[in-house]
Amino acid sequence: MTEFTVWAPEAARVRLRLPGADDHAMRQGPDGWWRVEVPGTGPGTDYAFLLDDDEQALPDPRSAWQPAGVHGPSRLYDHAAFGWTDSAWTGRQLPGSVLYELHIGTFTPEGTFDGAIARLDHLVDLGVDMVELLPVNAFNGEYNWGYDGVCWFAPHEPYGGPDGLKRFVDAAHAKGLGVILDVVYNHFGPSGAYAPRFAPYLTEQSNTWGRTVNLDGPHSDGVRRYIADSVLGWLRDYHVDGLRLDAVHAMPDSRAVHWLEEVAAEVEALSTHLGRPLSLIAESDLNDPRLITPREAGGYGLHAQWNDDAHHALHTLLTGERQGYYGDFGSLECLTDVLTGGFFHAGTWSSFRGRSHGRPVDRQRTPGHRFVAYLQNHDQIGNRATGDRISATLSPGLLRVGATLLMTAPFTPMLFMGEEWAATTPWQFFTSHPEPELATAVATGRRREFADHGWATDDVPDPQDPQTFLRSRLDWAELDKPEHRETYDLYRRLIALRRSRADLSDPRLDRVDVRHGDRFLVMRRGDTLVVANLADRAQRINLPGVVRRVLLATSEGVTVMRDGIELPPESAAIAAL
């Protein structure tokens, strides 16, 4: 016997529909939850709900399994039935870790959890600590970036469904890798979003992707519970080690206790119970340190946030691009501010926004590991018109300089899949919406968006064209080519050096000293120096101390002198004092 439940506080009548049986009337409780017990049901039973007098059968907003897609019935799933083998897993803490972002659908030719398992040894060999999966909750269609998800508790069936995700996490833990999930709570996708028909999950306000989530209006207690239960479910039932919360700046909340603080407190309690670290990472464009300030100090208590300022500072300096929000970035002074202070916009003028932006970080009390930094990620590649990687723009020398600066910065570094071998495959924006009207609207909107930014519309791939998706798959054969293997070996050496030198993983921002000159930068991390020559000519650079030995150089021809070092064009070196 199973008790079926659903939250529908404003419905006058709710019925449960099971295959080949009469509908079951459900009883309403004072809390807005409807319930009914049905004998002879259990794991594997398909079910759906009907609201009021509407005869359309709707999937469960809290469904754990959607085997027939987001428009089909839900199926009961028993989390206790999976045979986990990771009982000895003690977790991975975020501080000191190197992250690796990947998309299940394009990481391997199979595009499944099981296909990704077969490549975990590659990540172990590379030296990363935690894998960050782009959203895997159910969305309409076969393939998608994942940000059009509509079922916040159910893994996407074409990837392998609930069991597939568990197999992936279990296998990752067996190889010493933690797993972080990217989760989206700021909007529902455009197709298959039935939850808002059950309850006021959405407001009349809108963000970039649709109507905003109801966090502070009537019935918002139930909405916040819905999000919190999804968060806890991924961490508890799927054994994942952390979550990346997408675009939290697009989730307005006027209540006295912010929803992020509430979730952080519940995750801390779960972590204490499970006996392993659980990490919450925010994506936010607010440049507000309160997100990553502990609750004891009046903050929200999240463990880290993505740092776009670090990306923009590196990207613009290396590429020379200055369009759009890159306008204020691009100087060595800008990169210095980021390396020593976390943010560039820290209460300073933002020409892109036409106002001041951000708040300063307390360098003495806020550790750098609370900022996730990256040279590339899914957004910064995929939201370019052609989805071109930075390796398509930069010379091999400057690409190696960028990798060196990323891996020696006082932040938590993250790589995007294929970055470690300078993959030539693009990562483009792709969708597979079955509805013709939606498909046309997405393609038209994408072209209009890029036209506003000066891109020729003919250069923008059709998101619905299957070739756009196929072009975005990694080509693992590239690893066998010498030029790609050299890049891969450099990343392996950088990660190994970061792990072996305490100076390079030291998160104290007030211990980072940076000086710069004509197209060169010197960063001191304790007794370790990072020297970068971005010029197209060799440069002799004075150093604050005597170099005992060079630990790593990105090019041959480095010459150490009594009070300095000479670097070849577009190269970097890491040295011990």
Side-chain angles (χ1 to χ4, degrees), residues 381-403:
I381 301 172
N383 283 328
R384 297 171 66 85
T386 58
D388 53 313
R389 296 168 180 263
I390 197 172
S391 53
T393 302
L394 292 185
S395 66
L398 284 180
L399 191 65
R400 291 191 286 264
V401 170

Side-chain angles (χ1 to χ4, degrees), residues 122-195:
H122 166 81
L123 302 181
V124 174
D125 180 70
L126 178 61
V128 301
D129 302 283
M130 302 181 81
V131 180
E132 182 172 314
L133 302 182
L134 268 70
V136 301
N137 59 304
F139 52 81
N140 194 30
E142 184 77 14
Y143 48 83
N144 190 292
W145 275 19
Y147 297 90
D148 287 332
V150 292
C151 298
W152 292 0
F153 294 73
H156 191 50
E157 188 67 15
Y159 288 168
D163 279 358
L165 177 56
K166 290 182 177 182
R167 286 193 299 271
F168 177 85
V169 175
D170 201 42
H173 288 173
K175 295 182 181 296
L177 297 169
V179 179
I180 296 171
L181 282 189
D182 192 339
V183 289
V184 184
Y185 298 125
N186 53 66
H187 74 288
F188 288 94
S191 178
Y194 295 109

Side-chain angles (χ1 to χ4, degrees), residues 43-67:
T45 299
D46 288 347
Y47 68 102
F49 298 110
L50 296 90
L51 297 175
D52 297 320
D53 296 325
D54 192 335
E55 289 302 312
Q56 183 179 3
L58 306 177
D60 185 352
R62 288 173 171 254
S63 170
W65 194 5
Q66 289 295 125

Side-chain angles (χ1 to χ4, degrees), residues 332-380:
L332 284 164
E333 291 83 0
C334 165
L335 180 58
T336 298
D337 288 348
V338 169
L339 291 172
T340 58
F343 293 139
F344 175 62
H345 286 308
T348 56
W349 176 256
S350 166
S351 61
F352 177 72
R353 297 172 177 85
R355 58 169 174 79
S356 59
H357 183 66
R359 175 186 291 198
V361 172
D362 187 334
R363 298 175 63 232
Q364 292 186 319
R365 293 181 172 86
T366 305
H369 62 65
R370 291 189 185 152
F371 299 96
V372 176
Y374 29 83
L375 191 59
Q376 304 179 72
N377 66 31
H378 75 275
D379 268 334
Q380 301 302 336

Side-chain angles (χ1 to χ4, degrees), residues 202-273:
L202 300 174
T203 73
E204 294 304 316
Q205 296 176 291
S206 296
N207 57 32
T208 304
W209 307 282
R211 290 166 60 192
T212 59
V213 175
N214 173 25
L215 296 170
D216 50 13
H219 295 298
S220 59
D221 284 357
V223 177
R224 292 161 82 106
R225 186 71 259 155
Y226 182 69
I227 295 173
D229 286 347
S230 173
V231 166
L232 298 176
W234 295 122
L235 297 168
R236 180 191 60 238
D237 301 330
Y238 290 92
H239 292 201
V240 302
D241 303 282
L243 301 177
R244 181 260 194 190
L245 307 171
D246 182 67
V248 298
H249 55 269
M251 302 180 70
D253 179 11
S254 63
R255 290 171 61 158
V257 180
H258 198 277
W259 76 273
L260 286 173
E261 183 181 351
E262 282 187 355
V263 167
E266 295 209 32
V267 169
E268 182 180 24
L270 179 62
S271 175
T272 303
H273 172 67

